[in-house]
Amino acid sequence: MSNEWYTASAPGKFVVLGEHAVVYGKPALVLAMDRRISCSVRRSKRNTLNGEPLDFNRQPHFRYLTRDLRYAMDFVTNSEIPAGSGLGSSAALSAALALALKEESGRQMTEKQLVDEAYGAELYAQGNGSPMDASACVHGGGIAVNLPESTGKHLWNISRGNRSWNVTEMNVPKMTFVVGNTGIRAPTGPLVDKVRRFTNRSHFAVDIVDEIGNITIEGYDALRNNDVETLGRIMTMDHKLLSILGVSCNELNRLVNATLPYAYGAKLTGSGGGGCMVALTDTPEKVASVIESRGGTAYIVQTGSQGARSELEMSTDPLMDIPMDP
Ligand code: PMV
């Protein structure tokens, strides 16, 4: 039995426009960010995760992605992406784990197959949602979902029931975003369900979802033309629409309001209910300090991060890198 380590990593992401509405097949614009999660695997006598016995009941992503494995494994994860915060940690984990397992098995995998694996793991773990996060974490850079006549390179189509998502590559001019984390963990599944219940019982909610789709198309033009003023204004409008859908919260509103005097626009990013907001600005230090002064954690985001990749240079034992609990 070879007990060599295989490591892969994938970036987190943030949504510029279109979260929640994308679940209904509306457009969305997403950027990968320079915070990654890595996953190392090696054959073993029993399944362990970060040095502890692996309980598959508590780790549905691992259960799904190892469904065809005929041997036990040691798994080690290292993450710079806070969990349950709207930055795609579960899609990034799924993409990194799926790629590391593929490398270990010696088999090849296309990007589309990797997206299918990561999206499958997300659906298994949370039961709902779109392939937006999986696509962004696998491909990296910028992606657009369901943009009519999008000018970017076509990447893949994914369908589920009567919904389908056409994913294209999006070239993004240099822009500065600051992400602010409220520190409140909010899992995606219940928020997606909340919006579904609202749209099932109210035409008004369906109109809000349509409106998010419409402004996302306008935002795409602004982004392509490097028109930060228009894009920022649309981001703030999107935050208001998401608030009406019931997925914002006081802490997110507080960070959005505090950053607006120093930003072109700001909004929650990801599923909401806590987690993160994002501001578009050309004074990132100022915006970061405003976020921190309100008790949030700020990340000045470098965009254009590489997608899921093998970390072939890994030579040390990844178990040595696990941070100790304080
Ligand atoms: O909070 P995150 O990182 O899981 O992002 C969720 C994005 C949603 O649009 C709310 C759901 C989805 O699957 O597209």
Side-chain angles (χ1 to χ4, degrees), residues 10 12 18 88 136 158 166-167 271-272 281 289 316:
I158 297 178
N166 175 33
V167 181
S271 46
T281 181
S289 80
T316 52

Side-chain angles (χ1 to χ4, degrees), residues 13 15 18-23 84-91 119 122 126 128-133 165 186-189 191-192 269-272:
K13 66 95 218 323
V15 186
E19 55 272 268
H20 284 289
V22 70
V23 174
S85 62
L87 299 180
S89 60
S90 103
Y119 182 41
E122 286 220 278
Q126 91 199 13
N128 53 27
S130 77
M132 168 183 75
D133 282 20
W165 295 273
T188 305
L191 286 147
V192 171
T269 188
S271 46

Side-chain angles (χ1 to χ4, degrees), residues 19-21 186-196 198 208 212 238-250 252-253 268-276:
E19 55 272 268
H20 284 289
T188 305
L191 286 147
V192 171
D193 282 344
K194 184 179 182 184
V195 175
R196 180 168 310 285
F198 195 10
I208 298 288
I212 292 177
D238 192 24
H239 181 75
K240 292 176 190 167
L241 295 171
L242 289 164
S243 304
I244 296 170
L245 280 185
V247 295
S248 191
C249 63
N250 289 341
L252 280 166
N253 292 343
L268 70 84
T269 188
S271 46
C276 291

Side-chain angles (χ1 to χ4, degrees), residues 135-165:
S135 297
C137 296
V138 167
H139 188 68
I143 60 150
V145 182
N146 286 351
L147 259 294
E149 295 164 35
S150 169
T151 52
K153 180 178 135 203
H154 172 76
L155 293 174
W156 42 76
N157 270 308
I158 297 178
S159 299
R160 215 174 117 74
N162 58 0
R163 294 162 300 159
S164 70
W165 295 273

Side-chain angles (χ1 to χ4, degrees), residues 13-17 28-32 132-133 136 141-145 170:
K13 66 95 218 323
F14 66 96
V15 186
V16 180
L17 288 168
L29 312 176
V30 193
L31 300 180
M132 168 183 75
D133 282 20
I143 60 150
V145 182
M170 177 172 71

